[in-house]
Amino acid sequence: NNPIDIEVKIRYNSPEVKAKLIPFTDHKFKVLFEEKQRAVTPGQSAVFYKGDLVIGGGIIKNSF
């Protein structure tokens, strides 16, 4: 499972930020942000973009 370069939006009014999306099993992914993000909170939504295309999203379960 190779990492995918993406942009992620974790709040409606926040800008998209660069990250790597790492696929796991059972429809779970790990997101590694290029720069540290403030206040990433379990229960929030994350939307994944590749250019102008929405490629997926989900609910944040854990943040480290």
Side-chain angles (χ1 to χ4, degrees):
N1 294 335
N2 295 328
I4 303 165
D5 291 322
I6 61 168
E7 293 82 40
V8 180
K9 197 169 188 178
I10 56 172
R11 281 182 279 296
Y12 174 76
N13 59 353
S14 65
E16 296 169 13
V17 293
K18 292 184 179 185
K20 291 201 181 290
L21 185 66
I22 303 169
F24 286 110
T25 58
D26 299 327
H27 305 288
K28 294 180 183 177
F29 300 86
K30 182 174 187 174
V31 176
L32 294 176
F33 292 102
E34 197 171 272
E35 296 182 14
K36 187 173 182 173
Q37 299 299 304
R38 184 179 70 78
V40 177
T41 307
Q44 286 180 310
S45 294
V47 180
F48 310 140
Y49 297 88
K50 190 74 171 169
D52 291 336
L53 183 65
V54 174
I55 61 169
I59 304 298
I60 298 169
K61 296 289 184 186
N62 296 312
S63 60
F64 303 97

